[in-house]
Amino acid sequence: MQKQNFLTKNQQIVLDLVEKSSQPLKAYSILFNVQKKGLKAPLQVYRALDKLVEIGKIHKIESRNAFVACKNSNCVVSNATAFSICESCEKVTEINNSKLSKYLSNFEDNSGMKYNKYNLEFFGLCKKCKNK
Amino acid sequence: MQKQNFLTKNQQIVLDLVEKSSQPLKAYSILFNVQKKGLKAPLQVYRALDKLVEIGKIHKIESRNAFVACKNSNCVVSNATAFSICESCEKVTEINNSKLSKYLSNFEDNSGMKYNKYNLEFFGLCKKCKNK
DNA sequence: TTACACAATGTTATAATATAACAAATTATT
DNA sequence: AATAATTTGTTATATTATAACATTGTGTAA
Ligand SMILES: [Zn+2]
Ligand SMILES: [Zn+2]
Ligand SMILES: [Zn+2]
Ligand SMILES: [Zn+2]
């Protein structure tokens, strides 16, 4: 059997939900929302999430333990991600800035370590929240 | 009563432990290790950790749910942090690179958002693990 | 100096996030 | 059909984190 190059039923169900959402979803909120579709246990959701993250269809917002659909066609895999997060309304946006990604992908320090992946989270107040 | 500008007993106990460790510590591992010093409950540890993060004495490695002492005298508060993480041995190092921090602190995109904080985590293989 | 305010601590319970272990079903290959 | 690998289902449990409230300690001011 070949390694799967398509989405399984559970993965598709979870992805559909995450893509419909304008904001990051928590795993147990996903679970609650897909129970009508037959996914009963946390593990079914986490397995789907793991795979979707691995192939870059979704990303995990580490500081929030939440998941968003990738809005960036470059993200074949989740190995170079950057997000802006509003600390007031929790709105999250994936940053798609080629200068930034180039800068970070080429970043080297004197540790002798070669980085193959990074995740960057910016925090602040979004336009709306700033004007309140 | 003034707002505290020193460390309380519990905060000092937790900080001492985290500073002694060469690697990130998990909250419950900290709890286990400070029980002989009288901190019996998770909340006591989490409260100390929260404060220590707030004042920049320690940082949270978000992707690992673990805490490291700050090795960077600039970090008065934890508002601009960057780490390198070995995905094999889990060694974590705080990156102290003024070019990088300047670049990220000044970063602006077209979202109209002004960022006052960021956290960056690089992943790869450290020197040791690369040569295995 | 004693009442007050408030910060810090202690304690119990519980919420939220995530994985282990194994059984059953499905799908592709021989 | 037999086989092997993958995916799914299921139960239980581990790990991470916070809510709620009682108690104690400490500086402030009448
Ligand atoms: Zn993406
Ligand atoms: Zn906002
Ligand atoms: Zn630091
Ligand atoms: Zn290593």
Side-chain angles (χ1 to χ4, degrees), chain A residues 40-85:
Chain A
K40 290 180 195 157
L43 198 46
Q44 294 173 286
V45 168
Y46 278 105
R47 282 199 282 230
L49 288 172
D50 283 353
K51 187 69 184 187
L52 291 168
V53 166
E54 186 193 326
I55 64 179
K57 289 284 187 180
I58 65 174
H59 304 300
K60 182 174 186 181
I61 309 300
E62 293 287 357
S63 65
R64 300 299 188 260
N65 297 319
F67 300 84
V68 279
C70 177
K71 296 286 169 52
N72 181 343
S73 56
N74 310 342
C75 288
V76 183
V77 291
S78 299
N79 70 338
T81 48
F83 303 95
S84 85
I85 303 172

Side-chain angles (χ1 to χ4, degrees), chain A:
Chain A
M1 196 181 189
Q2 301 271 357
K3 200 178 169 194
Q4 154 201 337
N5 61 348
F6 51 87
L7 296 182
T8 66
K9 193 191 71 176
N10 289 357
Q11 289 160 14
Q12 192 64 58
I13 290 171
V14 170
L15 178 59
D16 286 347
L17 184 71
V18 177
E19 281 184 336
K20 265 192 305 191
S21 169
S22 60
Q23 286 311 298
L25 295 178
K26 302 263 203 166
Y28 275 72
S29 144
I30 292 171
L31 174 59
F32 178 81
N33 278 283
V34 297
Q35 277 177 332
K36 62 196 75 151
K37 306 241 179 187
L39 285 83
K40 290 180 195 157
L43 198 46
Q44 294 173 286
V45 168
Y46 278 105
R47 282 199 282 230
L49 288 172
D50 283 353
K51 187 69 184 187
L52 291 168
V53 166
E54 186 193 326
I55 64 179
K57 289 284 187 180
I58 65 174
H59 304 300
K60 182 174 186 181
I61 309 300
E62 293 287 357
S63 65
R64 300 299 188 260
N65 297 319
F67 300 84
V68 279
C70 177
K71 296 286 169 52
N72 181 343
S73 56
N74 310 342
C75 288
V76 183
V77 291
S78 299
N79 70 338
T81 48
F83 303 95
S84 85
I85 303 172
C86 175
E87 290 186 298
S88 170
C89 71
E90 294 294 324
K91 180 174 155 64
V92 170
T93 310
E94 183 167 3
I95 294 174
N96 188 354
N97 183 300
S98 58
K99 267 193 174 175
L100 176 67
S101 61
K102 196 170 287 179
Y103 183 86
L104 292 176
S105 296
N106 293 329
F107 179 78
E108 286 188 31
D109 57 17
N110 48 17
S111 69
M113 215 168 144
K114 175 70 188 143
Y115 304 117
N116 53 45
K117 187 173 149 189
Y118 68 81
N119 179 56
L120 170 60
E121 298 181 3
F122 280 108
F123 304 90
L125 292 179
C126 75
K127 241 177 183 171
K128 269 191 187 172
C129 294
K130 211 164 38 183
N131 297 327
K132 271 179 191 165

Side-chain angles (χ1 to χ4, degrees), chain B residues 3-58:
Chain B
K3 201 178 168 192
Q4 153 201 339
N5 62 348
F6 51 86
L7 296 182
T8 66
K9 195 191 71 178
N10 288 357
Q11 289 160 12
Q12 191 63 59
I13 290 170
V14 170
L15 179 58
D16 286 348
L17 183 71
V18 177
E19 280 184 336
K20 264 192 304 191
S21 169
S22 60
Q23 286 310 299
L25 295 177
K26 302 264 202 165
Y28 275 73
S29 145
I30 293 171
L31 174 59
F32 178 82
N33 279 283
V34 297
Q35 277 178 331
K36 63 196 72 150
K37 306 243 177 183
L39 285 84
K40 290 180 194 155
L43 199 44
Q44 295 173 286
V45 169
Y46 278 106
R47 283 199 281 230
L49 289 172
D50 284 352
K51 186 71 183 184
L52 292 168
V53 167
E54 187 193 323
I55 64 179
K57 289 285 188 181
I58 65 174

